[in-house]
């Protein structure tokens, strides 16, 4: 079977990271979480006072990009790759609601996108990857052999996100999380730079009522179809 690029794009909290990780593990591919890269840039901006709730210091952020080293290193216990920022494991730090909010604002900046897209294209040079994000099938790898666009209703996505946050010890409310999901959908799909949209050759997966096992089966079927072609 040939090695391919699998592009998984979709709405926030649609479960695309979980399914992309499961798929990569099942087929021995490398999983790359592009959202974690925007989150890592946001984390760096927060730590270094380059942004606050209202403004982003674009000039300083642009200069800081060269100092931001983002890596995905395997966790020795689970084997799963986690996000490291300048030599520090930030896998859980980048998942809080403040970083999420800033990441979505930072993701509207063209200079940040161009910087991260170049890194992402380099990571996929040898194929054999499952990459998830918002612009994988449209901008990063427009000729990916398999493109999937994932969605679920905002209410279902908010419930899933709330469960994740609660499991991590957070105390967010459903209303706050739903508002954040809707706000991020709006920002992701209306921004001028690489807005979230389904590529014309992407397969649509609405997983509102699908189990994790059902999604995995659906994905594997499409993976074999694409890799055997
Ligand atoms: O998938 P996520 O929620 O971890 O992504 C974090 C933010 O980054 C989110 O607001 C969307 C944005 N993003 C993006 O614009 N392009 C990507 N390829 C991945 C994420």
């Amino acid at each position: 079977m040939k090695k391919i690029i699998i592009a998984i794009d979709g709405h926030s909290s649609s479960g695309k990271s979980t399914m992309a990780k499961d798929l990569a593990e099942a087929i021995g591919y490398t999983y790359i979480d592009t959202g974690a890269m925007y989150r890592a840039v946001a984390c760096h901006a927060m730590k270094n006072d380059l942004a606050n709730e209202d403004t982003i210091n674009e000039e300083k952020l642009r200069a800081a990009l060269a100092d931001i080293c983002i890596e995905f290193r395997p966790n020795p216990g689970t084997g799963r790759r986690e996000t490291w920022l300048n030599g520090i494991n930030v896998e859980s730090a980048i998942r809080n609601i403040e970083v999420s909010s800033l990441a979505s604002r930072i993701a509207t900046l063209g200079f940040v996108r161009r910087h991260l897209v170049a890194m992402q294209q380099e990571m996929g040079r040898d194929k054999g990857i499952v990459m998830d994000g918002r612009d994988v099938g449209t901008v990063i790898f427009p000729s990916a052999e398999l493109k999937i666009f994932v969605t679920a209703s905002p209410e279902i996505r908010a419930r899933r996100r709330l469960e994740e946050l609660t499991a991590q010890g957070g105390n967010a409310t459903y209303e706050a999380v739903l508002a954040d999901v809707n706000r991020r959908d709006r920002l992701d799909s209306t921004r001028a730079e690489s807005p979230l949209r389904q590529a014309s050759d992407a397969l649509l997966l609405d997983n509102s009522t699908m189990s994790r096992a059902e999604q995995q089966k659906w994905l594997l079927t499409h993976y074999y179809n694409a890799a055997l072609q």
Side-chain angles (χ1 to χ4, degrees), residues 153-229:
S153 75
E155 291 74 18
I156 286 180
R157 288 185 283 129
R159 287 254 167 256
R160 289 177 184 160
R161 182 87 191 107
L162 183 64
E163 273 170 31
E164 258 172 43
L165 292 169
T166 311
Q168 288 161 13
N171 57 0
T173 63
Y174 170 73
E175 287 70 27
V177 176
L178 179 61
D180 191 58
V181 163
N182 282 324
R183 194 187 58 80
R184 286 208 284 155
D185 280 1
R186 217 169 26 249
L187 265 177
D188 285 346
S189 48
T190 58
R191 68 175 173 230
E193 291 278 344
S194 315
L196 172 66
R197 62 177 180 81
Q198 182 179 351
S200 57
D201 52 350
L203 305 169
L204 180 68
L205 174 63
D206 182 334
N207 65 11
S208 297
T209 60
M210 276 170 105
S211 70
R212 200 163 152 178
E214 284 166 341
Q215 290 176 66
Q216 174 84 329
K217 198 170 157 211
W218 186 95
L219 284 169
L220 282 172
T221 306
H222 290 290
Y223 158 68
Y224 287 119
N225 279 344
L228 286 168
Q229 258 174 33

Side-chain angles (χ1 to χ4, degrees), residues 60-170:
K60 285 199 171 154
L61 181 60
R62 192 189 292 267
L65 286 180
D67 304 327
I68 300 180
C69 171
I70 302 167
E71 295 163 286
F72 293 108
R73 299 191 198 165
N75 173 313
T78 61
R80 290 206 154 177
R81 286 160 35 108
E82 296 181 340
T83 316
W84 289 65
L85 169 64
N86 292 344
I88 295 170
N89 186 331
V90 290
E91 185 58 37
S92 63
I94 58 171
R95 307 289 164 192
N96 71 40
I97 208 155
E98 290 81 18
V99 174
S100 298
S101 286
L102 182 57
S104 62
R105 287 160 54 211
I106 277 183
T108 65
L109 302 172
F111 65 90
V112 175
R113 301 203 71 86
R114 284 187 289 280
H115 184 80
L116 294 185
V117 165
M119 285 171 68
Q120 290 149 0
Q121 287 172 333
E122 182 58 29
M123 290 172 173
R125 206 166 35 120
D126 297 329
K127 301 203 175 190
I129 58 157
V130 180
M131 184 176 273
D132 83 349
R134 304 293 188 287
D135 57 345
V136 186
T138 51
V139 176
I140 309 171
F141 292 114
S143 52
E145 290 84 352
L146 177 58
K147 298 183 188 177
I148 293 153
F149 189 86
V150 193
T151 193
S153 75
E155 291 74 18
I156 286 180
R157 288 185 283 129
R159 287 254 167 256
R160 289 177 184 160
R161 182 87 191 107
L162 183 64
E163 273 170 31
E164 258 172 43
L165 292 169
T166 311
Q168 288 161 13

